[in-house]
Amino acid sequence: MTVPLSILDLSPISEGADAATALRNSVDLAQRAEQWGYQRYWVAEHHFAAVASAQPAVLIGQIAAATNTIRVGAAAVQLGQTTAIAVVESFGILDAFHPGRIDLGVGRSGQRRREAMNDAASTPKPEPPTEWRDVGGVVVPPPFDISAQMRNPRLRAKLSVLQQPEAVAPDFADQVGDILAMIGGSYRIVLADRTVDAHATPGEGAAALTPWVFGSSRGQSAQVAGARGLPFVASYHITPATALDAIDVYRAAFRPSAALAEPYVVVSADVVVADDTAAARHLASSYGHWVYSIRAGDGAVPYPDPCSVEPLSDEQLQIVKDRTATQFVGDPDEVVSKLENLQRVTAADELVITSVTHDHSDRLHSHELLAKRWGL
């Protein structure tokens, strides 16, 4: 079965370029993606990194205004760093301008990072599994230990300013519940002596704003998405070690809702497609350096030029191996074969593709080749 393909974009800033160029490139890619037949165009939320998609709602508005039919959304709003009312109002505005075309993706990555920072400072946990597995042609590496990353004082300082001082994020399940209540018009504020009705304007009544829950493990995100009967996006491209487990938990927890009668699973993959294998491998040869900057530095550096990078050391390669080994790189036939394996193993209803190259023209070509070979 051929399932729809969508795009996940970080608006990456390439070495030697700037944020304005990256944002224009995102709009350009979205316009072409619409022509090529992609289902959705999602933008990620990242901060203090060399990517320009820091505020998804703002970028979504620009992309939706520059396109006509493709659905545009967030992948995903980090609920640990905002409030339910801010999310519903901002996406309510987007839906008012572009009715039926806006996808509200939500995730708890901000909360997960704070939990990881607390874990890194506490008693060490047992060693994670170290074996690599092949599941029906899909590589499942051992999980990457982020504890060292979370002990980085510079990174911790940056993360600390993503919330107001002394702010405490509500539980993720409660935030998702509040968003659903605000959209549905049933939100109430419970005080000590009374209950107060509160209405999100705009946002209330925007029935098309079904939240898409993004998750990476067997944890709370998958459970909340299933229990609430919401669509679930599993991030194989970031957490290939645990994405399949997350899908199993989601399906086991699923309860039908007004939004969905059956589970709906989207799985992400990182791909680079070129006319031949050698060209694709060259374009992807600086991907490991970029991932290394995220994991061993303070955040993503401008995307390196593959023509000028030095090979990573064996020690550096070990830090990024799970990501480089699960990136789908090759000519159209090779990449489609791997994506078909991923879809078959996960029974995904849709795949969402992220592709980063140093040159914008190569990224466009990668997405175009894939669309044609997939049959969009």
Side-chain angles (χ1 to χ4, degrees):
M1 178 183 68
T2 300
V3 302
L5 283 187
S6 297
I7 291 177
L8 192 164
D9 181 20
L10 285 69
S11 292
I13 301 172
S14 292
E15 190 175 52
D18 57 18
T21 300
L23 292 168
R24 288 193 293 269
N25 288 345
S26 287
V27 174
D28 180 44
L29 175 57
Q31 291 172 323
R32 295 169 188 263
E34 183 173 75
Q35 298 169 7
W36 296 330
Y38 284 92
Q39 181 94 342
R40 311 172 197 280
Y41 197 94
W42 287 342
V43 296
E45 178 181 346
H46 292 284
H47 304 279
F48 296 116
V51 296
S53 58
Q55 295 295 328
V58 178
L59 182 52
I60 288 167
Q62 295 296 315
I63 292 173
T67 53
N68 298 298
T69 57
I70 194 169
R71 293 188 67 98
V72 188
V77 174
Q78 298 180 10
L79 291 188
Q81 295 159 186
T82 186
T83 62
I85 185 61
V87 172
V88 172
E89 288 174 342
S90 59
F91 278 78
I93 290 172
L94 291 170
D95 181 74
F97 278 115
H98 310 284
R101 290 184 56 207
I102 304 301
D103 290 334
L104 169 54
V106 297
R108 63 183 298 267
S109 54
Q111 294 168 338
R112 285 187 66 248
R113 278 194 290 269
R114 276 187 290 280
E115 291 166 3
M117 284 194 295
N118 293 334
D119 289 344
S122 62
T123 304
K125 291 186 174 182
E127 288 295 318
T130 58
E131 72 277 5
W132 288 69
R133 295 184 293 141
D134 183 295
V135 182
V138 174
V139 176
V140 180
F144 175 72
D145 182 5
I146 66 170
S147 59
Q149 184 182 13
M150 291 299 100
R151 286 192 294 268
N152 181 335
R154 295 182 300 276
L155 180 60
R156 292 170 70 96
K158 292 176 181 178
L159 294 177
S160 71
V161 303
L162 295 178
Q163 278 189 312
Q164 294 289 350
E166 301 183 19
V168 177
D171 181 76
F172 179 73
D174 292 339
Q175 286 184 296
V176 172
D178 287 346
I179 288 171
L180 290 169
M182 289 176 185
I183 293 172
S186 61
Y187 183 67
R188 306 288 185 269
I189 301 171
V190 179
L191 302 176
D193 57 344
R194 62 187 177 279
T195 300
V196 177
D197 293 346
H199 301 278
T201 307
E204 184 174 309
L209 285 182
T210 299
W212 296 68
V213 177
F214 285 66
S216 59
S217 70
R218 301 176 66 87
Q220 190 183 25
S221 297
Q223 296 166 9
V224 168
R228 289 283 188 175
L230 299 172
F232 182 66
V233 186
S235 61
Y236 179 79
H237 81 287
I238 296 178
T239 54
T242 54
L244 272 60
D245 293 338
I247 294 168
D248 290 342
V249 168
Y250 165 68
R251 289 201 172 105
F254 186 84
R255 300 293 180 270
S257 69
L260 288 178
E262 298 178 346
Y264 192 92
V265 173
V266 182
V267 181
S268 65
D270 201 307
V271 312
V272 175
V273 189
D275 293 313
D276 57 68
T277 303
R281 288 179 177 171
H282 170 70
L283 295 177
S285 62
S286 58
Y287 177 73
H289 301 72
W290 189 63
V291 175
Y292 184 80
S293 73
I294 298 169
R295 289 183 166 179
D298 299 338
V301 297
Y303 198 83
D305 186 341
C307 295
S308 60
V309 294
E310 295 291 332
L312 293 173
S313 67
D314 290 344
E315 182 181 355
Q316 291 171 324
L317 285 170
Q318 284 300 117
I319 293 175
V320 302
K321 185 179 178 181
D322 64 315
R323 293 283 294 276
T324 56
T326 54
Q327 187 185 34
F328 299 169
V329 178
D331 64 31
D333 288 342
E334 290 175 298
V335 172
V336 164
S337 177
K338 293 177 180 179
L339 288 174
E340 288 175 339
N341 287 340
L342 182 64
Q343 189 280 323
R344 185 185 67 255
V345 167
T346 61
D349 300 285
E350 188 174 331
L351 297 177
V352 60
I353 305 304
T354 182
S355 183
V356 185
T357 59
H358 178 265
D359 292 348
H360 180 56
S361 60
D362 292 324
R363 190 161 72 124
L364 292 177
H365 194 48
S366 177
H367 283 296
E368 183 178 17
L369 286 173
L370 179 57
K372 290 179 177 178
R373 178 62 182 79
W374 196 260
L376 298 186

